[in-house]
Amino acid sequence: MALPSGSVSFNTLKRGLISGLDVTWQLAKIMVPVYFIVTFLKHTPIIGLVAKLFAPLMGVFGLPGEAAIVLVLGNLVNLYAAVGAIVSLSLSLKEIAILAIMLSFCHSLPVETALAKKIGLSAVSVIAVRIGLAILSGIAFNFLL
Amino acid sequence: MLEALKEAAVGSVMSVKQIAIIVIPIMVAMEFLKDMGILDRIADLLSPLVRVLGMRKESAFALVIGIIIGLSYGAGVILREAKENQLSKKDLYLITYFLVAAHAVFEDTAIFAALGVSAALLLSTRLLVAAMFTFLASKLIKEEIEKEVNL
């Protein structure tokens, strides 16, 4: 196996810190610009238009219309972009929990679908399964929480 | 306008800090788990369980690595394990279906937990649903696939 086992050393801590800082950096790099853009949109009429347009669809999951921005960013870019949008919009804890479970099942579709294809699954079925799980879990969380 | 800039600058920096405080310790803990050989032990413990999901027990290692470390590293391990341990196509498909629904679970959960969502709720829902879906898929995927092992 590729993983060394049974040997904890200073290197373990070092690798952990590096990977933790790496995640934080990857996150900051995407989250900060998204935060600026969404905050800017909040001061324009655009956010109101988006909210109105997507309110019926997002209502199925108990989410406000502007939450569509979070789902679109999470699926087309990655979770970090989605988190940037979540923290800049003012959402309730329940709304964040619903978005979190939906995004957990379905995110970063371009990159991750390519990986699944490499292993041999069809892109269409992988995307269908993931979107299906996201929709069901979103409805369930809205109902149960 | 200036106010919006200030709001975004302060808000985004605070959010990154809030997430770093949670994510960095979790990533450190994960490296310790790896080096203490606990990942291998978890894989051993889970090997009877993966049979319930319709896979051979040799699938456990690739599955555990993918669940904990992530899809991009997981994909490499899966392909290598498939060659070394002669996993069937059915095993491969089931592992991948499980993993597209639940991978890198600690990192993802840590990020949302930093926003205040219950980590236990997210983690258990995700693993349970992925397991249920994989079980369902194992019943649906045709047995013929099981015989092909030409990678």
Side-chain angles (χ1 to χ4, degrees):
Chain A
M1 311 280 149
L3 297 169
S5 57
S7 56
V8 175
S9 67
F10 181 69
N11 269 328
T12 312
L13 180 67
K14 204 175 107 188
R15 259 187 291 119
L17 287 175
I18 290 172
S19 80
L21 286 171
D22 183 54
V23 170
T24 307
W25 168 240
Q26 301 298 331
L27 180 99
K29 210 164 64 175
I30 294 167
M31 210 180 109
V32 173
V34 168
Y35 200 112
F36 272 83
I37 293 166
V38 176
T39 306
F40 173 74
L41 287 180
K42 268 164 63 184
H43 289 78
T44 68
I46 297 171
I47 196 94
L49 286 175
V50 172
K52 216 186 229 167
L53 189 62
F54 288 99
L57 185 61
M58 292 295 107
V60 175
F61 310 110
L63 295 169
E66 63 268 30
I69 297 172
V70 176
L71 293 179
V72 169
L73 284 172
N75 281 290
L76 295 185
V77 186
N78 57 26
L79 283 182
Y80 304 146
V83 169
I86 288 175
V87 289
S88 52
L89 294 169
S90 335
L91 298 168
S92 73
L93 190 55
K94 179 179 171 175
E95 289 160 355
I96 297 176
I98 293 167
L99 286 168
I101 195 67
M102 293 180 77
L103 287 167
S104 291
F105 287 123
C106 195
H107 58 253
S108 315
L109 289 181
V111 173
E112 295 188 353
T113 307
L115 285 170
K117 259 182 86 173
K118 207 168 125 195
I119 298 172
L121 292 184
S122 92
V124 175
S125 59
V126 168
I127 292 174
V129 165
R130 299 188 76 182
I131 292 179
L133 291 179
I135 290 174
L136 291 176
S137 63
I139 293 171
F141 265 37
N142 178 37
F143 186 69
L144 297 171
L145 289 184
Chain B
M1 189 60 223
L2 201 65
E3 207 160 295
L5 273 178
K6 203 181 137 195
E7 181 191 333
V10 173
S12 58
V13 170
M14 293 304 286
S15 307
V16 171
K17 199 185 103 189
Q18 185 193 353
I19 291 170
I21 290 171
I22 310 264
V23 169
I24 293 173
I26 287 181
M27 299 314 276
V28 170
M30 241 173 63
E31 290 300 324
F32 275 93
L33 288 181
K34 264 195 255 170
D35 282 3
M36 291 190 304
I38 292 183
L39 291 195
D40 299 286
R41 235 173 297 162
I42 294 174
D44 284 343
L45 281 175
L46 287 182
S47 51
L49 265 178
V50 299
R51 304 196 58 178
V52 179
L53 299 180
M55 296 173 233
R56 281 184 234 169
K57 64 177 181 17
E58 287 79 11
S59 312
F61 186 74
L63 192 63
V64 168
I65 294 300
I67 291 174
I68 296 176
I69 299 176
L71 203 55
S72 41
Y73 185 68
V77 176
I78 291 168
L79 291 174
R80 203 191 55 221
E81 288 280 297
K83 282 202 187 106
E84 286 175 8
N85 283 327
Q86 305 249 310
L87 299 179
S88 68
K89 265 214 171 119
K90 186 181 176 185
D91 292 325
L92 265 188
Y93 286 2
L94 292 177
I95 293 171
T96 313
Y97 269 125
F98 190 108
L99 290 183
V100 290
H103 55 261
V105 295
F106 292 119
E107 186 191 318
D108 293 356
T109 306
I111 292 169
F112 288 121
L115 302 180
V117 182
S118 156
L121 177 72
L122 274 185
L123 195 58
S124 55
T125 307
R126 202 169 169 197
L127 292 176
L128 206 70
V129 169
M132 276 162 38
F133 178 77
T134 308
F135 179 74
L136 198 74
S138 77
K139 299 288 165 210
L140 296 175
I141 288 180
K142 293 209 172 59
E143 293 296 317
E144 294 101 74
I145 297 178
E146 208 157 1
K147 283 159 202 142
E148 302 173 39
V149 206
N150 50 339
L151 272 166

